[in-house]
Amino acid sequence: MSNENVVDGLSQVEIDRFIYSISHELRSPLTAVLGMTRILQEDYGEELGQDGKYYLERINVNAKKMESFFNDLLKFSRVGRIYSPKENINVYMLIQEIVNSLSSDKELREFDVVFEKDLPFVIYERQALRDVFYNLIENAIIFTPRQIKPKITISHNYEHDEHIFSIEDNGIGIERGNTKKIFKLFERLKDIDVIGNGIGLSLVEKIIEYYGGRIWLESVRGEGSIFYFTVPKMEENTNEI
Amino acid sequence: MKSNSFNILLVEDEPDHAHLIMRELKKSGVTNNIDWVEDGNLAIEYLQGTGNFEGSTWSTLGLILLDIKLPKLNGLEVLEWIKNNSGTKNIPVVMLTTSADIKDIEKSYSLGANLYVEKSVENFVKRIKNIGLYCKYLSNTKS
């Protein structure tokens, strides 16, 4: 059954409420599964033997994947509902925090981030803007071929009363016909051998549009992508770094 | 009150979560007696000494661990009752929940909760251990 059929006839608010409830309800038993797994590891680990330890570890890894999936779904359903008030954010500092966080993620490879221009302060909800940059940078790392070190170039322009940010990568790129498709919830391109949960870019698009911006990309298959997004300028956005 | 002599009331409808919480508290060195009830109505009965808990008293309670999402009467309603009752309003209450909803957090603190602990999958055990430290701190300050 396609996603469109599942949600046919429901409003976005109803869909968000449904997603929120499901994600929230499923986190509770998952918490118990991981808690019990930890008890098994701590108290009975030695008795399990090599195979037993392996299977327990696989339960753990997969349960954590589920947690990540539910957390992303919860974020998606919460856009515009329970974020905090907007504040004046130093974008450069925010990205540095994200880079530090991604650098300590053992699942990810080493990567370089280059700032092509000074970045501004913007009025935005902090966690929302963090989710936008985090997902775009993480995607750039994940979708770069193994033999190449990911290089992410972040730039900024200001045109027609809006900030335009760009995040350029040297990754695998996207076929022209798929540049809109990748923003659909749960959409994963069939010809790309990377496992994702299909939520990240949908979340990014939903946040940006909720706050009055736009997102689009330019991409050449095999050469990389440039994601652009806009943030409407507010009066207070005057502090450049 | 002697050190470690107070009881802890755990209000939690998920038996597996209750098991994990009690186990981790014991492992953290909390030796206090822990009474467990599974819904909001039973928590009120326990605190009033009525129904299934005829004769029980809140006077030996030193801490309440209260899940937010409960059947019958939810955790926020129970919290409101606790903080509006002269006998129970000074008992520290730790809210436990799988929700990181800012509205739940704000509501809990505005009603008088002492601590809000998210039962996140990754850090559940670690957070329960922190409650254990809090219990031991309370035990020492009440001794």
Side-chain angles (χ1 to χ4, degrees):
Chain A
M1 190 182 288
S2 72
N3 295 330
E4 284 79 2
N5 287 339
V6 172
V7 298
D8 198 23
L10 295 177
S11 69
Q12 188 60 47
V13 172
E14 288 170 321
I15 295 165
D16 285 348
R17 199 172 293 146
F18 175 75
I19 291 174
Y20 178 83
S21 299
I22 293 288
S23 315
H24 196 265
E25 287 300 322
L26 290 175
R27 265 165 57 110
S28 183
L30 190 58
T31 301
V33 168
L34 273 168
M36 301 291 176
T37 307
R38 190 180 164 125
I39 292 175
L40 268 178
Q41 272 169 335
E42 281 180 5
D43 293 1
Y44 305 96
E46 292 310 311
E47 297 166 41
L48 289 173
Q50 209 58 33
D51 284 354
K53 280 182 189 169
Y54 170 77
Y55 290 123
L56 193 58
E57 178 57 23
R58 296 316 301 160
I59 293 172
N60 218 15
V61 166
N62 283 289
K64 282 181 180 169
K65 259 187 211 168
M66 283 171 71
E67 188 205 14
S68 165
F69 179 80
F70 294 140
N71 284 344
D72 285 349
L73 262 187
L74 273 174
K75 278 184 183 173
F76 183 84
S77 70
R78 283 167 170 167
V79 173
R81 279 207 310 137
I82 58 165
Y83 279 122
S84 308
K86 288 181 183 177
E87 56 184 288
N88 203 19
I89 300 167
N90 180 333
V91 176
Y92 174 78
M93 293 302 290
L94 180 77
I95 293 174
Q96 285 295 0
E97 285 170 26
I98 292 168
V99 169
N100 288 341
S101 171
L102 288 168
S103 299
S104 61
D105 186 337
K106 290 174 189 155
E107 304 275 310
L108 294 176
R109 292 174 288 150
E110 277 190 26
F111 60 94
D112 291 326
V113 171
V114 177
F115 296 96
E116 207 166 65
K117 284 189 177 177
D118 287 348
L119 298 179
F121 281 65
V122 297
I123 302 291
Y124 222 81
E125 196 284 315
R126 179 172 288 278
Q127 185 60 46
L129 193 60
R130 189 180 194 284
D131 286 339
V132 167
F133 276 111
Y134 190 100
N135 277 288
L136 291 176
I137 296 171
E138 187 187 38
N139 262 20
I141 300 166
I142 291 172
F143 291 101
T144 300
R146 284 269 143 211
Q147 61 275 21
I148 300 172
K149 187 178 185 185
K151 181 184 173 192
I152 298 128
T153 306
I154 298 174
S155 191
H156 164 262
N157 273 308
Y158 180 67
E159 289 174 13
H160 308 299
D161 274 349
E162 62 183 9
H163 297 280
I164 305 172
F165 291 96
S166 67
I167 293 98
E168 181 175 2
D169 64 53
N170 55 342
I172 56 177
I174 298 156
E175 300 285 359
R176 185 181 287 270
N178 288 330
T179 53
K180 286 205 165 63
K181 203 174 171 185
I182 58 165
F183 292 109
K184 280 191 169 183
L185 191 59
F186 303 132
E187 194 68 56
R188 281 174 289 187
L189 302 181
K190 291 183 178 67
D191 57 341
I192 294 174
D193 188 24
V194 176
I195 296 170
N197 62 25
I199 303 171
L201 286 178
S202 304
L203 173 67
V204 167
E205 183 188 49
K206 193 175 178 193
I207 291 170
I208 288 166
E209 290 184 351
Y210 177 80
Y211 287 100
R214 294 167 288 123
I215 183 166
W216 69 98
L217 76 149
E218 293 169 0
S219 187
V220 177
R221 187 78 167 125
E223 293 181 21
S225 305
I226 310 175
F227 283 81
Y228 297 92
F229 73 91
T230 64
V231 173
K233 187 174 186 291
M234 305 265 180
E235 284 299 311
E236 296 91 334
N237 301 345
T238 53
N239 299 318
E240 299 278 339
I241 59 167
Chain B
M1 192 183 283
K2 285 181 189 171
S3 177
N4 289 341
S5 65
F6 68 73
N7 287 339
I8 297 169
L9 174 64
L10 170 62
V11 191
E12 169 64 70
D13 66 318
E14 295 284 344
D16 287 337
H17 286 195
H19 178 92
L20 282 168
I21 291 164
M22 289 190 280
R23 178 184 180 279
E24 289 307 321
L25 288 178
K26 299 285 180 203
K27 273 193 83 174
S28 307
V30 173
T31 55
N32 307 63
N33 175 59
I34 303 173
D35 288 328
W36 167 39
V37 298
E38 292 184 65
D39 68 54
N41 279 354
L42 289 173
I44 303 289
E45 283 185 11
Y46 180 100
L47 293 166
Q48 288 178 318
T50 58
N52 294 328
F53 303 97
E54 198 73 52
S56 76
T57 171
W58 48 261
S59 63
T60 55
L61 267 186
L63 180 66
I64 298 171
L65 305 177
L66 182 58
D67 189 20
I68 285 193
K69 208 159 186 287
L70 290 169
K72 296 178 184 173
L73 210 56
N74 71 42
L76 293 171
E77 290 168 316
V78 176
L79 176 64
E80 193 167 14
W81 187 94
I82 291 167
K83 295 301 176 183
N84 284 329
N85 186 303
S86 58
T88 55
K89 69 179 181 186
N90 292 323
I91 302 171
V93 179
V94 176
M95 303 305 289
L96 299 169
T97 176
T98 47
S99 161
D101 195 323
I102 191 84
K103 284 179 187 161
D104 282 345
I105 298 172
E106 285 173 354
K107 182 82 176 163
S108 295
Y109 283 123
S110 74
L111 288 172
N114 298 75
L115 202 61
Y116 184 99
V117 177
E118 189 194 345
K119 297 190 287 187
S120 76
V121 177
E122 180 64 20
N123 294 313
F124 188 38
V125 170
K126 197 161 99 188
R127 287 175 180 177
I128 298 302
K129 282 182 177 158
N130 286 339
I131 296 174
L133 289 174
Y134 184 55
C135 282
K136 286 201 269 192
Y137 167 76
L138 289 176
S139 294
N140 289 331
T141 55
K142 290 186 178 188
S143 63

